[in-house]
């Protein structure tokens, strides 16, 4: 897990991204997702438990309680667009904040190449850093964008088994759906939520390639 964090940080680390107060949370999301893929959890409960037993997450509650809570927060339809999944939480965000989720949807569904998606995600994060404040809800949006960017860069270079064997990581649409799932999971429950939502999206892709 540490090697994944170092790899992502070396690939994507820059002073500009370091200015994002949620940068560490975005990196943690992709790192936890990498660990889940390495340990090949087969059920949501197994994935949540693996975060503690295999991936180094230290919950502030008994493990069984953490697993119950984490599983309950996994999006029901992780392959749906971000704004569709977050519709029940719309009132928690200002119009300006929510517009970033709308832009994420457009980038992840509308980019014509991996390079375009990468550049547009980076541009959106810089825009958000300039325009958003630093309230808890602003940080939630900044973290979701950071988690999306880190996850995209991680999955496009992923060399593990399973996902690669399925070949979906070459499919820009599928990668966009995965990144969207992670962004939603982060918005709901931070890095752990993002990692589990990404795991759930990949699990669905593997049953319906």
């Amino acid at each position: 897990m540490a090697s994944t964090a170092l790899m992502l940080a070396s690939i994507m680390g820059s002073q500009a991204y370091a200015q994002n107060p949620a940068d560490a949370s975005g990196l943690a999301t992709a790192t936890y997702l990498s660990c889940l893929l390495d340990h090949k959890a087969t059920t949501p409960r197994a994935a949540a438990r693996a975060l503690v037993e295999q991936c180094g997450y230290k919950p502030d509650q008994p493990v069984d309680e953490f697993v119950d809570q984490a599983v309950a927060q996994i999006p029901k339809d992780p392959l749906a667009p971000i704004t569709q999944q977050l519709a029940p939480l719309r009132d928690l965000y200002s119009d300006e904040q929510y517009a970033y989720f709308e832009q994420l949807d457009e980038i992840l569904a509308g980019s014509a190449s991996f390079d375009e998606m990468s550049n547009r995600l980076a541009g959106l994060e810089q825009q958000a850093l300039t325009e958003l404040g630093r309230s808890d809800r602003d940080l939630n949006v900044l973290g979701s964008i950071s988690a999306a960017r880190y996850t995209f860069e991680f999955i496009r270079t992923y060399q593990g088994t399973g996902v690669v064997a399925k070949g979906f990581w070459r499919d820009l649409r599928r990668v966009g759906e995965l990144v969207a799932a992670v962004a939603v999971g982060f918005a709901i429950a931070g890095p752990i939520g993002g990692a589990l939502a990404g795991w759930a999206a990949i699990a669905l892709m593997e049953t319906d390639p």
Side-chain angles (χ1 to χ4, degrees):
M1 180 169 159
S3 61
T4 299
L6 288 172
M7 178 271 290
L8 285 168
S10 66
I11 291 173
M12 306 180 63
S14 76
Q15 189 61 35
Y17 295 133
Q19 292 172 6
N20 185 344
D23 183 73
S25 295
L27 173 59
T29 305
T31 305
Y32 283 130
L33 177 59
S34 169
C35 182
L36 289 179
L37 295 183
D38 287 345
H39 287 89
K40 301 179 177 63
T42 57
T43 68
R45 294 190 67 82
R49 189 170 292 277
L51 286 169
V52 178
E53 296 178 352
Q54 307 294 334
C55 303
Y57 179 68
K58 301 185 184 307
D60 56 2
Q61 61 197 119
V63 173
D64 287 343
E65 289 183 13
F66 163 74
V67 170
D68 289 342
Q69 178 178 310
V71 169
Q73 292 173 325
I74 295 175
K76 303 304 182 194
D77 186 7
L79 300 182
I82 295 169
T83 49
Q84 178 179 323
Q85 295 190 63
L86 291 182
L89 305 179
R90 172 64 182 86
D91 290 345
L92 297 178
Y93 299 92
S94 69
D95 289 346
E96 180 185 23
Q97 291 164 343
Y98 203 72
Y100 282 97
F101 293 125
E102 295 170 341
Q103 290 183 73
L104 264 179
D105 266 339
E106 198 283 319
I107 290 170
L108 297 175
S111 294
S113 69
F114 282 87
D115 286 344
E116 179 185 338
M117 189 176 288
S118 177
N119 291 335
R120 294 182 70 188
L121 286 171
L124 184 67
E125 184 169 357
Q126 293 307 309
Q127 177 186 340
L129 284 170
T130 300
E131 296 181 352
L132 290 178
R134 297 297 183 264
S135 69
D136 287 348
R137 195 56 58 182
D138 289 324
L139 293 176
N140 177 269
V141 176
L142 287 168
S144 295
I145 297 171
S146 178
R149 178 177 57 82
Y150 272 115
T151 299
F152 173 78
E153 297 298 343
F154 158 65
I155 207 65
R156 78 187 295 200
T157 58
Y158 181 66
Q159 295 298 317
T161 60
V163 175
V164 170
K166 294 291 182 183
F168 93 84
W169 91 113
R170 290 198 185 110
D171 184 329
L172 189 61
R173 177 182 65 86
R174 285 301 208 187
V175 171
E177 289 174 338
L178 166 61
V179 173
V182 170
V184 170
F186 188 101
I188 294 171
I192 292 301
L196 285 171
W199 172 87
I202 290 173
L204 284 177
M205 292 175 190
E206 291 183 334
T207 59
D208 182 24

